[in-house]
Amino acid sequence: IGTDPYPIPNRPPAMAGQWTRLTREAVDDARALWQVPQVFNKSAYRKTEAEKAEGRPPTFEEMRSMTWQCICEGADGLIYYSWFDLQRDKNYPFEQRWPEIKRMAQEVSKYALTLLSIEPIPEVEVQAPDAIHWTLRSHEGKVYLFMVNDADEAGNATVRFAKQPHTVTLGGEAVAIGDGSFQATFDPLGVNIYEVEM
C-alpha cells in the first residue's frame, strides 16, 4: 500500500510525512508501505500555458526532506513520480534536474540495507516538535539515527539513549554527549544522519 503526496508548490513539504504516517496507521503496519514522493512539476497537468508557467517542481531540499520524511514515518520503499514528466518539463530541463534526483536517491541507496534491517535497536527517547521525524536502525554492529525537519524554519530536538553511547557522529564530526543525551539542530528541511557507537 502507498499514497502519493504531491504538495509542491501549493502545500508544505510536511504533507509527505503526514500522509505516510496516516497510511501506515490506516493498515496498522500490516502491509508493506511504498510511498510515492513528488519530483515532478504539477503544472504539466494544467490546461493553459499561463497556468503551466506558474508552477514549479520541488527543490532539491524539498525532495530530500520529503524522501526522508517518508522513510522516518515507515515507508519500506519509494517510487518517485515521474520519469516522463521530468522529460517533458520545458521550464525546468531534465538535464538540470536529473543529477539532483540521482544525488538524492544515492544518499538513500547508501543506507538501504540499514533501513531495511530488523536487527534489535537500543532504547532511545526523542523530544522534538512535530516537524521533526526520526527512525533508528541497527545493522552489522552499527546504529544509525535518521532525522529530518519538515519545516521551512530551523528546528531542534533532544535525543536521549537509555545507555550512554561511546560516540555519536554527524557527517564524520563528533557530537557532544552528556548523560546519554545530545542536542540535534536542523536547518530548514534539513536531514541529519547520526552514526552511534554503543
Side-chain angles (χ1 to χ4, degrees):
I1 191 166
T3 46
D4 302 37
Y6 302 153
I8 308 301
N10 309 112
R11 296 178 68 180
M15 180 175 154
Q18 293 163 359
W19 280 33
T20 306
R21 183 175 61 255
L22 289 170
T23 305
R24 176 175 46 81
E25 290 172 351
V27 295
D28 198 24
D29 285 321
R31 296 286 184 274
L33 177 58
W34 284 63
Q35 285 297 92
V36 187
Q38 178 188 357
V39 295
F40 75 112
N41 184 351
K42 288 197 299 187
S43 68
Y45 294 90
R46 301 297 184 252
K47 293 182 180 178
T48 69
E49 290 304 315
E51 288 176 319
K52 289 180 180 181
E54 290 176 1
R56 68 168 180 87
T59 64
F60 173 79
E61 290 76 15
E62 288 168 337
M63 291 189 299
R64 186 175 182 234
S65 177
M66 290 190 292
T67 290
W68 285 103
Q69 287 175 52
C70 291
I71 292 168
C72 288
E73 289 295 342
D76 304 298
L78 302 168
I79 306 172
Y80 291 98
Y81 195 85
S82 71
W83 173 261
F84 59 85
D85 281 330
L86 291 170
Q87 292 183 313
R88 69 180 183 159
D89 190 343
K90 295 185 176 86
N91 295 326
Y92 297 86
F94 178 87
E95 293 74 18
Q96 294 175 11
R97 302 222 45 239
W98 187 239
E100 290 188 338
I101 293 167
K102 287 199 304 183
R103 180 176 151 211
M104 174 189 60
Q106 285 166 349
E107 180 179 56
V108 176
S109 179
K110 175 182 175 182
Y111 296 103
L113 293 178
T114 301
L115 291 167
L116 295 173
S117 173
I118 57 170
E119 294 178 19
I121 55 174
E123 187 178 338
V124 67
E125 177 189 355
V126 176
Q127 295 177 333
D130 290 342
I132 306 298
H133 310 260
W134 64 276
T135 189
L136 189 70
R137 295 288 192 279
S138 293
H139 182 61
E140 296 183 342
K142 293 184 178 179
V143 176
Y144 291 91
L145 175 61
F146 302 91
M147 305 184 79
V148 58
N149 182 9
D150 73 25
D152 287 323
E153 62 224 11
N156 57 71
T158 300
V159 179
R160 184 179 305 280
F161 286 90
K163 177 186 174 185
Q164 173 87 11
H166 292 299
T167 61
V168 176
T169 57
L170 174 63
E173 298 291 324
V175 175
I177 316 165
D179 242 359
S181 69
F182 68 90
Q183 295 299 309
T185 58
F186 299 86
D187 292 332
L189 301 175
V191 176
N192 291 0
I193 300 174
Y194 296 94
E195 186 170 338
V196 183
E197 184 183 344
M198 301 302 296

